[in-house]
Amino acid sequence: MSKHSQSEKERVIIFDTTLRDGEQSPGATMSLSEKIEIAILLDEMGVDVIEAGFPIASEGDFRAVSEISNLVNEATVCGLARSSLEDIDRAAEALRQARSKRIHTFISTSPLHMEFKLQMKPDDVIEAIERSVARACKYTDDVQWSPEDGTRTEHDFLCRAVETAIKAGATTINIPDTVGYTAPEESAGIIRMLKKRVPAIDRVVISTHCHNDLGMAVANSLAAVSAGARQIECTINGLGERAGNAALEEVVMAMRVRSDIMPYRTGIDTTRILQASRLVSSATGFPVQYNKAIVGKNAFAHEAGIHQDGMLKHSETYEIMRPEDVGIAQSNLVLGKHSGRAALRVKLEQLGYSVGDNRLKVIFARFKNLADKKKEVFDDDLIALMQTTPRDSDDEFMQIKYLRVVCGSESPQEADIVLVAGGEELRASSTGDGPVDAAFNAINSLFDHSAKLELYQVQAVTEGTDAQATVSVRLEENGKIVVGQSSDTDTVFASAKAYVSALNNLIHRRKKSAPAAASAG
């Protein structure tokens, strides 16, 4: 098939829900400043619709949607709402300052959800759809409606529900694969079925929202587009509940690279993709897996001899896209202990990070400390620094001032620690089954909590005995899951800092109230 010209390609709307569905990932809570920074970048890179949050879920969500509405210049800002009128009114209030606003309302439609979750009869669900969409239309002419668990909904009822939403005024109909159950051909078949059976569906935009429980979210989304959907709901890095959502970077680059068989285009500036990936990873504390498509560390790495030989002769032998297409700069700039702040800023920008003066000051101090320990600071070292440096010092209730451990083949291992908490110095000593356990026990003796350690993971950032270790810690307390990360050439110290980081995030989560919690995808 010959390549299509840009004018022949059909436009696909990119609806990013990183700040809503993405934040529902256990432990992925973001601060207001982080949400604003991400929203501004999404706007700048050409995302069409930014789902900024679920306004009635908490005061924090309401404020985030409100602040983002006031700052975004080009994208449509969207707020999520259940079918209750109170939800919709709250979303409308949060979106009041938006230049372009959308209310996204939803209700479950599968037999399983209607019987056990909603405990509603089908006719009552239809009435709720009509009532909620009509209410949303009083606030904006851009209303999106979703049948939660749409891919497991009986087709006759799905058609009836979609037709009801359109008659009530919905302008976008989103079909969520809420539990990641469907497969590509079935995903496309549902869209074709709706286009064939629902009157006036040609007057609305059909959207797809796919979860990745079976690893098919991107494939299912693209299949839906091939059948007539013209909006994809997705997240940066595929962030989202359980196994996540369709990854924005993957659906966008798939349509760009394979435009010969997928003649579609988006408004995304793909050179900002790596920057967005790094920003979201840093804000959430969720590392990007090395072999992640498009943005993973190994996405453009070649180790096998036959691959390297081919690459040296012609890059297209093993690369189907250029690294610079997604914002990966090729640079030989080497940093060491004599490097200055300006060189560090340039290097960080090449790696996809944009930092303000205040944060650069903090990063530079940590960089200098690292450079004193290592002869050469590699790109991966800088990435680890960015991902493990708190973005907002106000979120750091506790900090480690001093740590000393005694370890070896003879037990017990010992740890002495000095924490600064709320401006007060706290000291403790403890023993444990290894130096890390001793350090954690010492911290626990100073900070009372009931959190359970669910994950402790250590990963070397680079090669060599002077390599930094990046440590990830996940804690769970009363259903709240938080993640902490830190890095250091001293693995035990990195572990203690990661544990304290997780506890700081736990304190932050305790302060957040969540009177309502639900999802639409």
Side-chain angles (χ1 to χ4, degrees), residues 388-430:
T388 59
T389 300
R391 307 184 64 81
D392 188 349
S393 60
D394 291 339
D395 288 341
E396 287 193 285
F397 174 74
M398 291 187 293
Q399 294 182 353
I400 297 177
K401 183 177 180 179
Y402 170 84
L403 175 66
R404 174 182 175 271
V405 296
V406 177
C407 62
S409 59
E410 295 185 3
S411 297
Q413 282 72 41
E414 303 172 358
D416 301 318
I417 195 166
V418 177
L419 283 182
V420 178
E424 179 184 0
E425 282 195 7
L426 306 173
R427 299 172 180 270
S429 297
S430 188

Side-chain angles (χ1 to χ4, degrees), residues 235-250:
T235 62
I236 301 295
N237 296 338
L239 197 66
E241 292 187 279
R242 303 182 314 279
N245 292 335
L248 179 148
E249 60 275 6
E250 294 179 28

Side-chain angles (χ1 to χ4, degrees), residues 312-328:
L312 290 171
K313 292 173 179 175
H314 197 291
S315 63
E316 290 186 13
T317 54
Y318 287 101
E319 284 188 352
I320 60 174
M321 56 193 139
R322 302 179 306 164
E324 52 266 38
D325 289 342
V326 297
I328 299 176

Side-chain angles (χ1 to χ4, degrees), residues 14 59 101-102 108 132 135 139 185 198 235 252 269-270 273 302 320 367 383 389 453 509:
I14 297 298
E59 286 300 319
K101 59 189 174 186
R102 173 182 297 186
S108 296
S132 59
R135 181 68 157 231
Y139 296 108
E185 183 53 38
V198 177
T235 62
V252 168
D269 176 0
T270 62
I273 282 177
H302 306 272
I320 60 174
F367 159 73
I383 293 170
T389 300
L453 179 64
R509 284 293 300 271

Side-chain angles (χ1 to χ4, degrees), residues 69-70 76 105 146 212 237 302 317 370 426 428 439 462 497 504 520:
S69 295
N70 199 38
T76 295
T105 183
S146 292
N212 204 39
N237 296 338
H302 306 272
T317 54
L370 178 63
L426 306 173
T462 56
K497 289 194 296 182
N504 280 324

